[in-house]
Amino acid sequence: IGELSEPMKFPYRGEWHWVVIKILDEAPVPFWDVEQLVSGEVFERKVAERRKALTDSLVMAYDPQLNLEFIGQMVRSIAQALDDTIASGIPVGIDPEAAICTYHGGAMRLRDLQNLSTRGKRPTDFSDSSAFVDYLSDKEIPFRLIVEEARKAGLYERPDILQVVDFERQDQLISNLKKRAVDPRVTVTDEEARAFYDANPKSFLTYYSYEVVEILVAFEDLAKQIREEIDNGADPEELARVHTIRKGVGHHGGRFKVEIKTEFRDLYRALEGHEEGAVVGPIRLPEGYSVFKMLYNSGRQVKPFDASEQRRARAFVKIEKMNRAYLDFIATLRERYPVEVYWQELETLRDESG
């Protein structure tokens, strides 16, 4: 306690920063406070180790060999292309059936990247051979070998998997039929959009906007102490300058605005329902323990009917009309394909099974 650290790198919100730390106090952390976090970290580490062991064993068993000459030719053709080639992402003049990798018992062809991509990438996303080779080695090839192993294990023929695939196929068929037979017939006029806006003001309210003084700390005991000091008349802004660990707000005395479209989503939810002047906390947030004073609560007002809200109103009306059109479409299908339900037989089956 009281010691000052040397400058050191510290990860925060996905970026590295240089920090200097002074120890002000220490407190034991009960295991149950961090049990879920520790268990999650251990589980993720063991999963990663097992995944790597599986991948390494498959690479040894299948011995994948990249066709480096073909990959270099393909990447050069991408670099020379004047525009994005074809929808599949395969450059014009490159054979989609060409093997980019061979392994014991099979080959991975260029066209397979459209079906097996684990990250939604396409060949035209790469203009460097080494980057493409690294991507194939790290992502696509292990994924393909796992699929091959699943096929060998007979998982392709398991009824539960086939049922899921069949359901997915049916969902896609229904979705595409709806897009072709129903959606194009639905139109929305300006008058319909305005009528919906006037009749549904609650659908066009602004979001709450807040201004707060917040003190965010790492330990619950310290947060309770800060709340007690505020209740006894201490200035929250002075306490924030000393204690808050919220990035970028300490020099403002912990004072900042919180809106729905910010990174402070958890704090935003904690602020809901509190009036101006209220002191709240400690509240547990993912970043620590928060004590805050509400300075301003905007409330909610109806947004003006500008171009943005007109688009939203049109979207609401279109969704409603599309749903009705879909029900009408189903009614025409019932007329085209008459359905008879044998209710008595169903009752008999229910009685026998019950």
Side-chain angles (χ1 to χ4, degrees), residues 18-160:
W18 286 98
V19 300
V20 175
I21 296 175
K22 182 176 182 179
I23 305 299
L24 302 178
D25 198 359
E26 66 178 357
V29 179
F31 177 67
W32 53 81
D33 275 1
V34 293
E35 181 178 6
Q36 186 175 3
L37 175 64
V38 173
S39 297
E41 290 182 356
V42 173
F43 179 79
E44 290 299 327
R45 187 183 306 124
K46 295 178 76 171
V47 167
E49 292 171 355
R50 180 59 191 150
R51 186 184 296 118
K52 186 178 186 307
L54 172 63
T55 301
D56 291 346
S57 66
L58 291 177
V59 168
M60 291 183 61
Y62 285 93
D63 190 25
Q65 299 293 322
L66 286 166
N67 187 344
L68 297 178
E69 182 177 351
F70 170 74
I71 291 173
Q73 176 191 355
M74 188 198 72
V75 172
R76 285 193 297 272
S77 70
I78 292 174
Q80 296 168 1
L82 296 179
D83 52 21
D84 199 4
T85 52
I86 59 178
S88 66
I90 298 174
V92 173
I94 297 295
D95 183 10
E97 299 299 319
I100 59 175
C101 174
T102 57
Y103 52 86
H104 293 326
M108 185 168 68
R109 307 186 185 282
L110 187 56
R111 61 173 168 77
D112 293 335
L113 295 183
Q114 306 309 305
N115 302 323
L116 299 178
S117 178
T118 59
R119 290 182 176 267
K121 289 187 176 292
R122 307 187 310 165
T124 47
D125 293 334
F126 298 93
S127 57
D128 179 78
S129 297
S130 61
F132 192 39
V133 167
D134 289 343
Y135 173 73
L136 293 172
S137 301
D138 294 341
K139 304 297 180 184
E140 295 293 348
I141 291 175
F143 185 75
R144 179 58 178 262
L145 298 183
I146 289 173
V147 171
E148 288 287 353
E149 194 70 7
R151 191 193 302 273
K152 280 187 177 181
L155 297 181
Y156 269 44
E157 305 302 323
R158 275 181 47 172
D160 55 340

Side-chain angles (χ1 to χ4, degrees), residues 163-176:
Q163 187 179 45
V164 170
V165 172
D166 188 51
F167 283 153
E168 181 68 23
R169 183 184 295 112
Q170 291 183 41
D171 286 342
Q172 289 295 322
L173 288 172
I174 292 171
S175 177
N176 280 276

Side-chain angles (χ1 to χ4, degrees), residues 44-339:
E44 290 299 327
R45 187 183 306 124
K46 295 178 76 171
V47 167
E49 292 171 355
R50 180 59 191 150
R51 186 184 296 118
K52 186 178 186 307
L54 172 63
T55 301
D56 291 346
S57 66
L58 291 177
V59 168
M60 291 183 61
Y62 285 93
D63 190 25
Q65 299 293 322
L66 286 166
N67 187 344
L68 297 178
E69 182 177 351
F70 170 74
I71 291 173
Q73 176 191 355
M74 188 198 72
V75 172
R76 285 193 297 272
S77 70
I78 292 174
Q80 296 168 1
L82 296 179
D83 52 21
D84 199 4
T85 52
I86 59 178
S88 66
I90 298 174
V92 173
I94 297 295
D95 183 10
E97 299 299 319
I100 59 175
C101 174
T102 57
Y103 52 86
H104 293 326
M108 185 168 68
R109 307 186 185 282
L110 187 56
R111 61 173 168 77
D112 293 335
L113 295 183
Q114 306 309 305
N115 302 323
L116 299 178
S117 178
T118 59
R119 290 182 176 267
K121 289 187 176 292
R122 307 187 310 165
T124 47
D125 293 334
F126 298 93
S127 57
D128 179 78
S129 297
S130 61
F132 192 39
V133 167
D134 289 343
Y135 173 73
L136 293 172
S137 301
D138 294 341
K139 304 297 180 184
E140 295 293 348
I141 291 175
F143 185 75
R144 179 58 178 262
L145 298 183
I146 289 173
V147 171
E148 288 287 353
E149 194 70 7
R151 191 193 302 273
K152 280 187 177 181
L155 297 181
Y156 269 44
E157 305 302 323
R158 275 181 47 172
D160 55 340
I161 293 178
L162 293 176
Q163 187 179 45
V164 170
V165 172
D166 188 51
F167 283 153
E168 181 68 23
R169 183 184 295 112
Q170 291 183 41
D171 286 342
Q172 289 295 322
L173 288 172
I174 292 171
S175 177
N176 280 276
L177 178 62
K178 181 175 178 290
K179 290 178 181 178
R180 178 181 297 184
V182 178
D183 296 356
R185 301 179 184 180
V186 176
T187 59
V188 180
T189 65
D190 292 342
E191 292 75 15
E192 289 175 318
R194 180 68 202 215
F196 183 88
Y197 171 86
D198 292 337
N200 300 273
K202 290 185 178 180
S203 297
F204 300 92
L205 295 175
T206 58
Y207 289 104
Y208 288 103
S209 176
Y210 308 103
E211 185 173 0
V212 299
V213 172
E214 185 213 27
I215 306 100
L216 179 70
V217 296
F219 299 104
E220 185 177 15
D221 288 343
L222 179 56
K224 289 179 178 178
Q225 176 186 328
I226 290 170
R227 172 60 190 271
E228 184 177 349
E229 291 182 28
I230 294 175
D231 291 341
N232 290 330
D235 184 353
E237 294 190 29
E238 291 300 324
L239 292 172
R241 289 188 179 94
V242 175
H243 294 290
T244 190
I245 60 174
R246 178 77 69 185
K247 180 182 178 182
V249 301
H251 61 287
H252 295 297
R255 185 169 183 156
F256 63 105
K257 291 183 178 179
V258 184
E259 298 179 340
I260 186 66
K261 294 182 180 179
T262 67
E263 59 182 310
F264 310 116
R265 285 295 186 90
D266 295 291
L267 177 59
Y268 183 90
R269 285 191 288 268
L271 295 173
E272 292 178 353
H274 297 293
E275 300 295 331
E276 293 179 3
V279 176
V280 182
I283 292 178
R284 179 72 181 269
L285 299 177
E287 305 93 334
Y289 292 88
S290 174
V291 178
F292 60 83
K293 181 177 181 179
M294 179 74 74
L295 302 180
Y296 170 74
N297 183 335
S298 68
R300 303 187 72 182
Q301 296 85 35
V302 178
K303 299 178 184 178
F305 191 65
D306 55 15
S308 175
E309 298 313 303
Q310 185 182 40
R311 286 194 296 271
R312 292 187 68 239
R314 293 177 71 91
F316 278 122
V317 175
K318 186 171 184 179
I319 291 171
E320 185 178 328
K321 294 181 74 172
M322 286 170 61
N323 289 336
R324 290 201 302 266
Y326 181 68
L327 294 177
D328 293 340
F329 177 63
I330 296 297
T332 63
L333 293 181
R334 288 182 179 277
E335 293 177 0
R336 190 180 306 169
Y337 304 101
V339 176

